[in-house]
Amino acid sequence: MHARPVASERTDGGTGEPAASPLRSLLPAGRIRPGTAVCAGLDMPLLLALAAEASAAAPGWAAVGLPHLGALAADAAGLDLACGMRIDDPGRQWAHVLATLLEAVPTVLVGPMSAVPDRVARRLSAVMRRSGSVLLAAGSWPGAEVQMRVVSATWEGVGSGHGLLHARRVRVEATGRGAAAAPRHADMWLPGPDGAAAPLHSLAGERLPAVSPPAEAAMGERRPALRVVG
């Protein structure tokens, strides 16, 4: 395998402190526990929001088997692209690739897997417990502490047959094991107008902004690096 830089773009974010992630109300003790796995139910914005939450304290992250993951979307969700790595096609040695990454990278995203043998899942769980890393699965994952899924979604911004999509209002449901066994749900913007998850009340009474041509032109001014491996 070899690594190569990938051009990525971003817009300048707003000023001020960001609102607390609405996903915290769905997580045991309000956080993704180190050494555990969380499922995102095949929803890419939810997966990226979870990754941003998990990597807030330790920004290193890697994405495995997610060739359609967009650098712009990852950046807008809150991931530090300079600390990210993508392995689009891990091949037949995917379990070894995951084990290696989980030993060294705090947050690992993995694409949908057709089947994960129990012995492989146990081995990777042991690696996570030892290293304190977090695995975020786009699909299902054996032994995941929390399983989330978007149960309803509505895009905002389109008027009577015209307009721009600005934000997606969703309801996220979570179940799991142990402290997360009781089903919970939360309504939120995912993604919000800036690309990150946001509480519904954060935009209450506000007009969702349109993207202007000058803002789009400024997107190429800053180009953090995102490495692709494979």
Side-chain angles (χ1 to χ4, degrees):
M1 296 187 298
H2 63 281
R4 62 183 185 274
V6 175
S8 59
E9 301 172 343
R10 64 180 297 173
T11 57
D12 292 333
T15 58
E17 293 295 325
S21 171
L23 292 171
R24 294 180 185 178
S25 65
L26 302 175
L27 296 166
R31 67 190 183 105
I32 300 175
R33 289 198 311 118
T36 63
V38 177
C39 300
L42 297 175
D43 190 89
M44 183 62 76
L46 177 56
L47 181 68
L48 292 177
L50 288 168
E53 183 71 18
S55 64
W61 60 278
V64 180
L66 289 164
H68 301 300
L69 185 150
L72 277 175
D75 182 41
L79 289 172
D80 185 347
L81 298 188
C83 299
M85 177 183 296
R86 276 174 45 184
I87 302 175
D88 291 343
D89 184 7
R92 299 176 62 183
Q93 299 299 318
W94 61 267
H96 178 70
V97 171
L98 280 179
T100 301
L101 289 172
L102 289 168
E103 287 278 12
V105 183
T107 302
V108 177
L109 291 68
V110 62
M113 309 290 291
S114 57
V116 179
D118 288 342
R119 60 180 179 80
V120 173
R122 290 194 298 269
R123 175 193 170 200
L124 294 177
S125 293
V127 173
M128 284 187 282
R129 289 194 298 270
R130 181 171 64 248
S131 65
S133 57
V134 167
L135 186 145
L136 304 175
S140 60
W141 189 265
E145 181 174 66
V146 181
Q147 299 175 357
M148 294 189 184
R149 66 188 184 104
V150 173
V151 295
S152 65
T154 304
W155 281 96
E156 301 284 341
V158 176
S160 300
H162 62 86
L164 297 174
L165 296 175
H166 301 304
R168 188 179 67 148
R169 178 171 179 161
V170 303
R171 169 163 290 195
V172 179
E173 182 181 79
T175 58
R177 301 184 297 114
R184 291 185 257 183
H185 69 268
D187 297 317
M188 65 191 76
W189 299 108
L190 183 66
D194 64 353
L200 289 183
H201 65 75
S202 66
L203 299 179
E206 296 184 13
R207 179 184 177 88
L208 295 176
V211 177
S212 62
E216 292 175 345
M219 291 171 67
E221 293 179 3
R222 299 175 62 187
R223 304 172 69 87
L226 174 64
R227 291 174 293 163
V228 172
V229 178

